[in-house]
Amino acid sequence: MRSLGERFNKLRAKIISLRCGPGAAILPPEVTRIHMDFATSFKNGHMGAKKFWRENLPRLKYHNPSVPMIVNRHSRNNKKPTISIYLRKPDASTPAPATRSQPSSSRNNMSKATPPDADEKIITVDMTEKHSSHILEYVLAETRAVPIKPTKEEIRELQELDAMARQAEVDRARMRSLREEKKREEDMLKRARAAGGVAEEEDS
């Protein structure tokens, strides 16, 4: 069982990982929502989309909590993985609706991309065979999002957590070695006792 300190440091690492890194960016107010559509398995070029969803989208959502980010997963690997960015039209004469369609994410193909509202337009990016970093570049370019650079304090904290993680691995390796050595000694003692018992029987 992990100690309280280890669990706390693991939580710290998760939080700072959300704040910093690829995907940490502020979206402009023109972005009304983002929709992703990809298969649950990697086949047919869906790997980059899945990696973007796991690694980059959480950071984007963390820094833009008010922007709906809907993920529709399914088992249809023959369908192209796409990311759709809904943008408010700059010259829209129609006022924004009081509420927009915001279905919850789904892993059973139940949250397909909806048509844009009257004041919106959609930019759709085909993510087939694209690396997650390239998908992120497309998203940042199309939305004109502003990447967030880590502060000096965050860099210091990242370095501290990295050093602690390396030391923890060294400590775990040392403890494994000690346990293995102890087990070898116990096994040798058992064999010695067993051999001694056999010798006593032969002498008698």
Side-chain angles (χ1 to χ4, degrees), residues 11 17 31 44 56 58 61 92 152 184 187:
L11 179 61
S17 177
V31 178
N44 295 350
N56 305 124
K61 181 62 178 176
K152 290 182 180 180
R184 284 196 299 270
D187 290 342

Side-chain angles (χ1 to χ4, degrees), residues 6-197:
E6 285 179 310
R7 292 199 297 271
F8 176 71
N9 288 331
K10 191 174 182 180
L11 179 61
R12 280 177 62 200
K14 285 184 177 180
I15 292 172
I16 197 167
S17 177
L18 273 176
R19 296 202 310 259
C20 307
I26 299 296
L27 295 168
E30 290 76 23
V31 178
T32 57
R33 45 189 163 147
I34 292 175
H35 182 277
M36 289 189 70
D37 188 291
F38 60 93
T40 53
S41 68
F42 294 148
K43 293 186 296 183
N44 295 350
H46 287 250
M47 180 181 290
K50 192 168 185 177
K51 191 172 181 181
F52 176 87
W53 165 63
R54 286 188 180 278
E55 297 183 3
N56 305 124
L57 194 68
R59 295 192 186 103
L60 200 60
K61 181 62 178 176
Y62 177 85
H63 290 285
N64 303 274
S66 63
V67 178
M69 298 183 187
I70 302 143
V71 178
N72 184 54
R73 293 184 289 161
H74 48 76
S75 59
R76 297 171 58 193
N77 283 81
N78 60 331
K79 184 181 178 183
K80 290 182 178 180
T82 58
I83 182 166
S84 300
I85 303 164
Y86 292 71
L87 298 166
R88 189 177 291 107
K89 295 177 182 177
D91 56 348
S93 56
T94 306
T99 58
R100 297 189 189 275
S101 174
Q102 296 180 17
S104 58
S105 294
S106 170
R107 72 183 314 275
N108 299 308
N109 204 30
M110 300 295 289
S111 296
K112 298 177 183 179
T114 58
D117 290 326
D119 67 324
E120 291 178 314
K121 65 177 182 178
I122 295 180
I123 296 174
T124 300
V125 176
D126 181 358
M127 299 185 289
T128 306
E129 299 290 356
K130 287 184 173 64
H131 193 276
S132 59
S133 61
H134 296 155
I135 297 170
L136 178 60
E137 288 176 6
Y138 280 116
V139 171
L140 295 181
E142 293 293 350
T143 61
R144 298 184 180 179
V146 179
I148 298 175
K149 295 182 179 180
T151 63
K152 290 182 180 180
E153 177 62 23
E154 287 171 336
I155 292 173
R156 184 198 62 76
E157 190 172 359
L158 282 168
Q159 291 172 341
E160 179 183 320
L161 288 168
D162 183 58
M164 292 172 67
R166 289 199 302 269
Q167 184 59 48
E169 182 56 38
V170 171
D171 293 341
R172 283 193 292 270
R174 183 172 61 84
M175 291 303 297
R176 281 196 301 270
S177 178
L178 290 173
R179 286 195 298 269
E180 290 170 359
E181 183 178 351
K182 183 179 180 181
K183 188 176 186 306
R184 284 196 299 270
E185 291 176 352
E186 290 174 348
D187 290 342
M188 289 175 63
L189 184 58
K190 287 179 182 178
R191 288 196 295 270
R193 286 174 177 170

